[in-house]
Amino acid sequence: GKGFLAEGYVAETPATEHISAGQQVRDIRSGDIESVYAPTVLAHLEARAYLPDEVFGGIILEEMARRPEFIDLTLVDGFPYALGDLDYVQEKLREQSRRILGAVSLDATLDTCLFRMAYRGMRQGEDVRKSAIFSETESEREYYAGRYQYYLDARNARIDMLLSRGLHLKQVDVNPNILDEDIRRVVYGQFTNSINTLRAVGADGE
């Protein structure tokens, strides 16, 4: 998954960091981290409403500001959610003479998503397990298939959104069987190469 790949890259690469947008929201909700956005986050989660652009984007910028100054590359997963989030963060980064170098899309089919989630389970608080994914009850499988198809459709919309803002995009096929250690190394190598390519493009000022 995106977190595993990003953490692996950070562990091997000096002056880099990884921020999970989803984990930031969960940590604010649980009180594990303090945030000026906490009241708004809690209110919107209670109402099952999307976070305002400046709040979701602000959460990322807030966490970046907590990190050491020597960090020169931040990998953010699960972001952006909407065009407004992206535009807000880009504007604030430009004020700091920083910018978004590009994006990496992890390309997976619906079957791959279902298979991975069945064996990994889901985050605490979500009831998705192997027994549910491979249930003989067709309605349950249809529910989860619909859920992940929604995520895949949203990913495609975000790719179009990123390209509309002229950002560089790299795509990594994560469908191969990553239970095989050799294949897992190949997929990780493709991810690493994608990040390094985006860094090189950024260094050239393109």
Side-chain angles (χ1 to χ4, degrees):
K2 55 189 183 298
F4 172 82
L5 293 170
E7 288 294 336
Y9 185 88
V10 168
E12 296 179 351
T13 313
T16 61
E17 64 176 351
H18 167 230
I19 296 174
S20 166
Q23 191 61 49
Q24 288 299 118
V25 173
R26 289 187 288 274
D27 286 345
I28 291 172
R29 178 180 60 186
S30 66
D32 288 343
I33 61 174
E34 295 183 359
S35 171
V36 298
Y37 301 103
T40 304
V41 169
L42 294 174
H44 278 71
L45 291 177
E46 179 68 22
R48 295 182 175 273
Y50 293 128
L51 294 175
D53 299 332
E54 67 276 9
V55 173
F56 193 45
I59 288 169
I60 303 302
L61 296 169
E62 181 182 55
E63 183 60 23
M64 289 175 65
R66 293 191 179 107
R67 305 300 175 95
E69 291 185 1
F70 64 80
I71 296 294
D72 65 12
L73 178 69
T74 302
L75 305 182
V76 183
D77 79 53
F79 180 89
Y81 192 84
L83 188 59
D85 307 332
L86 176 63
D87 289 344
Y88 178 81
V89 169
Q90 280 192 308
E91 179 183 352
K92 294 300 180 182
L93 289 177
R94 278 195 292 265
E95 293 174 1
Q96 305 170 24
S97 297
R98 306 178 73 180
R99 62 194 178 98
I100 298 174
L101 297 180
V104 177
S105 171
L106 305 184
D107 295 342
T109 65
L110 178 60
D111 285 343
T112 296
C113 292
L114 290 171
F115 181 81
R116 301 271 170 85
M117 291 302 102
Y119 284 95
R120 190 186 77 172
M122 292 293 287
R123 302 180 185 94
Q124 185 177 359
E126 295 185 54
D127 186 18
V128 180
R129 292 294 184 269
K130 179 179 178 181
S131 58
I133 294 294
F134 293 106
S135 170
E136 294 181 0
T137 304
E138 189 65 24
S139 61
E140 286 184 332
R141 181 168 178 82
E142 288 178 356
Y143 167 78
Y144 291 112
R147 177 176 178 171
Y148 289 112
Q149 186 60 57
Y150 171 82
Y151 293 154
L152 291 174
D153 291 343
R155 179 204 62 188
N156 293 334
R158 290 183 187 116
I159 287 175
D160 292 340
M161 177 178 65
L162 293 164
L163 294 176
S164 76
R165 289 299 187 260
L167 293 174
H168 295 279
L169 177 71
K170 303 294 291 184
Q171 294 178 280
V172 176
D173 180 5
V174 295
N175 289 295
N177 178 20
I178 58 171
L179 296 179
D180 183 290
E181 186 175 349
D182 290 336
I183 295 177
R184 189 162 63 246
R185 280 198 294 265
V186 170
V187 172
Y188 175 71
Q190 292 172 348
F191 175 80
T192 298
N193 290 339
S194 295
I195 298 295
N196 289 338
T197 299
L198 291 173
R199 296 189 80 173
V201 170
D204 291 338
E206 296 182 9

